[in-house]
Amino acid sequence: MSVPPRNFTVGHGEWRAASASVAMPPTKARPVALPDTSASLFLAVPRVCTYLGTTRLTCASGFFFERTSRLFLVTSRHVLFDERGKHFPDRLELELHLDAIDLTLATRFSVPLYHSAGATWCQGRDSGGEVDVAVLELDRGKMPAGSIIRAFTPAHLVKDDREVCVGASLLVVGFPLGFHDALHHLPVLRHAVMASPYGIRFQGQGLFLTDARTHRGTSGAPVVMRDPDQAIGAAMLPWKLLGVHSSRMDMGDRDHELDESLGLNCAWYADILLALTR
């Protein structure tokens, strides 16, 4: 799920939500590059904010996907359009880095969701019904000059389901509750475990389950696994792209006083991107 924008401030040694906008401290970090190519994963996941006109509605996650010379933003469809939640933004703002060394240098890039011919985005659908994944093609010519983009490609998709074993260690990269390194404009990582057999469509839908602690705002985040065939430093993104995080899964009849939530999440198989970016 996407989440309304929130601000964070430090209090008594822990992070807590502020009730009003808080200006970020003027501290200037010493410019330093990300430590290795595996950390370039952070630059592939921009913060996604939805707007209706000038009103900011929610903050969510997304990631870049490149096919041939075309660049796309991938996120959850409900981030862009959610009839049940009465969420109807008309544009997005993405936070883009402008320097690969000084990560404090960033800008916002506004992307319309509609034009005269209709929606600028498309969503997935398969034999199981609608897929909660959407892609939006980005016009490189309109992006801010010097934008630092790291993008997944079809080469990052899993080619053999046997590469991913049950219980495999995964990462979910995003902006839980909008939380992030606001000085360096970077997402955070949550550790996850493969909780259903990869390659099998859970309940007949094009998704698999992860066991992870997630929050609203993580919708659209990539679910990745270290690529054992790519050495750190040898590839720009030495990761396998497994899926797109969508939402938490819970039991509808759970007793909220007696039973804890399942702690499971839905992630749609990333191979839907091949159909959506043709």
Side-chain angles (χ1 to χ4, degrees), residues 127-179:
S127 58
E130 291 190 353
V131 173
D132 190 23
V133 175
V135 302
L136 173 64
E137 186 167 4
L138 302 175
D139 186 341
R140 293 181 188 269
K142 294 181 179 179
M143 299 181 74
S147 297
I148 305 300
I149 302 294
R150 300 290 182 263
F152 294 98
T153 70
H156 290 97
L157 301 178
V158 175
K159 297 177 176 59
D160 185 344
D161 295 340
R162 291 174 296 180
E163 297 177 40
V164 187
C165 62
V166 173
S169 178
L170 314 175
L171 294 177
V172 182
V173 193
F175 298 84
L177 297 180
F179 182 76

Side-chain angles (χ1 to χ4, degrees), residues 2-101:
S2 53
V3 63
R6 301 172 71 182
N7 297 282
F8 295 87
T9 184
V10 176
H12 304 294
E14 63 182 10
W15 288 95
R16 63 183 183 186
S19 58
S21 296
V22 177
M24 292 303 298
T27 304
K28 181 73 171 179
R30 179 175 60 87
V32 59
L34 292 170
D36 55 51
T37 55
S38 66
S40 63
L41 176 64
F42 290 93
L43 299 180
V45 183
R47 188 182 184 212
V48 178
C49 294
T50 65
Y51 284 79
L52 180 61
T54 59
T55 302
R56 188 163 71 170
L57 302 178
T58 62
C59 294
S61 305
F63 60 93
F64 297 115
F65 188 82
E66 187 176 42
R67 192 169 186 182
T68 59
S69 60
R70 302 167 68 196
L71 180 66
F72 300 87
L73 174 76
V74 181
T75 188
S76 295
R77 190 270 304 157
H78 73 259
V79 172
L80 308 184
F81 179 88
D82 184 6
E83 187 170 8
R84 186 174 63 176
K86 296 184 174 17
H87 174 64
F88 307 113
D90 60 11
R91 67 183 182 94
L92 304 178
E93 278 194 1
L94 311 180
E95 281 190 349
L96 303 178
H97 288 88
L98 298 176
D99 192 303
I101 303 297

Side-chain angles (χ1 to χ4, degrees), residues 229-241:
D229 297 327
Q230 296 287 350
I232 294 177
M236 185 59 69
L237 280 173
W239 302 92
K240 288 288 188 181
L241 176 61

Side-chain angles (χ1 to χ4, degrees), residues 4 11 20 40 43 51 59 104 114 124 142 146 159 166 180 190 195-198 218 220 223 228 230 246 254 277-278:
S40 63
L43 299 180
Y51 284 79
C59 294
T104 66
Y114 301 92
K142 294 181 179 179
K159 297 177 176 59
V166 173
H180 65 296
R190 299 309 301 253
S196 65
Y198 191 81
T218 314
V223 180
Q230 296 287 350
S246 174
R254 175 172 65 88
T277 59
R278 282 187 298 206

Side-chain angles (χ1 to χ4, degrees), residues 165-172 190-197 208-215 223 245 247-249 260-267:
C165 62
V166 173
S169 178
L170 314 175
L171 294 177
V172 182
R190 299 309 301 253
H191 183 262
V193 174
M194 183 65 66
S196 65
F208 59 92
L209 299 185
T210 65
D211 183 350
R213 187 182 179 193
T214 60
H215 302 78
V223 180
H245 173 83
S247 60
R248 288 169 290 182
M249 174 171 283
E260 295 183 2
S261 64
L262 291 176
L264 297 173
N265 309 277
C266 302

